[in-house]
Amino acid sequence: MNRAFAVMTALICLLFASAGFADQPTPWQVDLQTPVTPIMHEIKWFNYYTLWFIVPITILVLILLVVVAMKFRASKNPVPSRTSHNTMIEIVWTVGPVLILFFIAIPSFNMLNAQLTIPTNPDLTIKATATQWLWSYEYEGGENPLSFDSYILKDEDRAAAGKEDLGAYPRLLAVDNELVVPVNKTVRLLVTAAPTDVIHAFAMPAFGLKIDAVPGRLNETWFKAEKEGMYYGQCSELCGKDHAYMPIAIRVVSEEQYDTWATSAQGDLSGANRALMALAAQPADAVRVAATESK
């Protein structure tokens, strides 16, 4: 019975296996991207939380406008009221906004504090340097720190890179060399721009991450990706004529895959990236576990 169930599970996973989770903008998207970091979970919660204030206020203002327009129009009130003020109204529209701002400010400050407080002893430190119009990454630590450049992937280079699947590697968002990080590990990110360059911004929506890259200044942030997959962002500071062609791609993998990639990338970055792509195209871990149990 268990063996039959394991085989059936493996077949189902094989049938529906895909190239892996990839979060990116979608047509007519009105909601935030799926959160995959603790900070982004808080941001999405705060987004819905503020709607409980915004929607009622908007409806109230609309109702008041309609009432005023209908009840106090010139045809119905040819002689306007000469009331100068109303004490109760003054109290309500002073105390009300103060209370609303109080309930919004507390979780807002808590979230801001979580974003700006860098966890002690991060598992990995990466420096991202912006230049017109690419990102350069350097993995800090070790005797031979790994570093490479990340350019936008041109359409004519897709076949050679093995990235012809527009679903997994979308146009204007895919890059030649992705930033690779391990899942469930705290990554400290140092962001700057080349000394003679302009201001850029490192933004990854699914991570709740957005920080300026300023020449001559080192800004610091962090993230902890909770789900494996490919995630896309862009430079979010107008930085020149090719601002729209400066994407950011982060591939989140298991710790074992990351260790293998980091070792291989020292000598052959392209080969190491291709190996990760091949693993991403394979069925999920559940398939391998089920296949093992069926033996």
Side-chain angles (χ1 to χ4, degrees):
M1 182 69 178
N2 292 335
R3 176 169 179 162
F5 178 78
V7 172
M8 184 178 296
T9 303
L11 291 175
I12 292 174
C13 292
L14 284 170
L15 180 63
F16 292 98
S18 63
F21 180 79
D23 212 347
Q24 56 188 275
T26 58
W28 298 99
Q29 183 174 8
V30 295
D31 199 1
L32 302 175
Q33 291 188 18
T34 304
V36 292
T37 65
I39 293 299
M40 189 57 194
H41 282 293
E42 291 191 39
I43 291 175
K44 193 161 188 176
W45 173 87
F46 186 72
N47 176 63
Y48 292 144
Y49 173 77
T50 54
L51 287 178
W52 287 99
F53 298 94
I54 295 172
V55 173
I57 290 173
T58 302
I59 295 175
L60 175 62
V61 171
L62 177 61
I63 292 174
L64 291 176
L65 287 174
V66 172
V67 169
V68 170
M70 298 300 295
K71 186 175 180 180
F72 300 102
R73 64 186 186 274
S75 60
K76 191 170 182 180
N77 291 276
V79 180
S81 171
R82 298 184 181 279
T83 303
S84 60
H85 73 280
N86 184 291
T87 302
M88 181 56 65
I89 292 178
E90 295 284 350
I91 294 174
V92 169
W93 73 29
T94 300
V95 175
V98 169
L99 291 176
I100 292 172
L101 291 176
F102 176 81
F103 282 106
I104 292 177
I106 297 303
S108 176
F109 290 150
N110 289 338
M111 184 175 63
L112 184 62
N113 183 66
Q115 287 179 310
L116 298 179
T117 302
I118 309 298
T120 56
N121 301 319
D123 300 293
L124 183 64
T125 299
I126 300 175
K127 181 180 179 182
T129 303
T131 310
Q132 293 176 316
W133 285 273
L134 72 145
W135 292 93
S136 300
Y137 301 115
E138 181 179 350
Y139 289 72
E140 304 290 336
E143 297 181 359
N144 299 307
L146 175 63
S147 60
F148 56 85
D149 296 331
S150 180
Y151 289 87
I152 188 172
L153 182 64
K154 298 180 180 179
D155 290 339
E156 58 268 24
D157 297 332
R158 283 184 174 273
K163 298 179 178 179
E164 297 176 286
D165 182 0
L166 292 177
Y169 304 99
R171 182 174 177 271
L172 300 182
L173 287 177
V175 300
D176 55 354
N177 298 313
E178 297 91 8
L179 181 65
V180 180
V181 299
V183 69
N184 291 322
K185 296 294 182 180
T186 301
V187 178
R188 176 172 173 250
L189 186 65
L190 307 176
V191 181
T192 187
T196 58
D197 213 271
V198 298
I199 298 177
H200 301 268
F202 191 100
M204 182 58 60
F207 291 7
L209 188 63
K210 185 174 182 180
I211 188 168
D212 284 343
V214 183
R217 177 174 178 175
L218 200 62
N219 286 333
E220 184 179 16
T221 187
W222 70 281
F223 64 87
K224 183 179 180 181
E226 301 170 334
K227 185 175 182 180
E228 295 181 35
M230 183 76 77
Y231 302 92
Y232 293 101
Q234 292 175 297
C235 173
S236 295
E237 182 74 33
L238 187 60
C239 57
K241 69 179 185 66
D242 284 341
H243 164 66
Y245 307 102
M246 195 173 169
I248 302 166
I250 299 180
R251 188 188 293 275
V252 181
V253 299
S254 68
E255 185 176 0
E256 295 76 13
Q257 291 174 351
Y258 172 78
D259 292 338
T260 302
W261 172 85
T263 301
S264 302
Q266 292 286 352
D268 183 9
L269 178 62
S270 178
N273 288 339
R274 283 184 171 274
L276 275 185
M277 290 170 54
L279 288 174
Q282 292 179 2
D285 291 341
V287 178
R288 294 193 290 271
V289 171
T292 301
E293 293 177 353
S294 66
K295 293 182 180 179

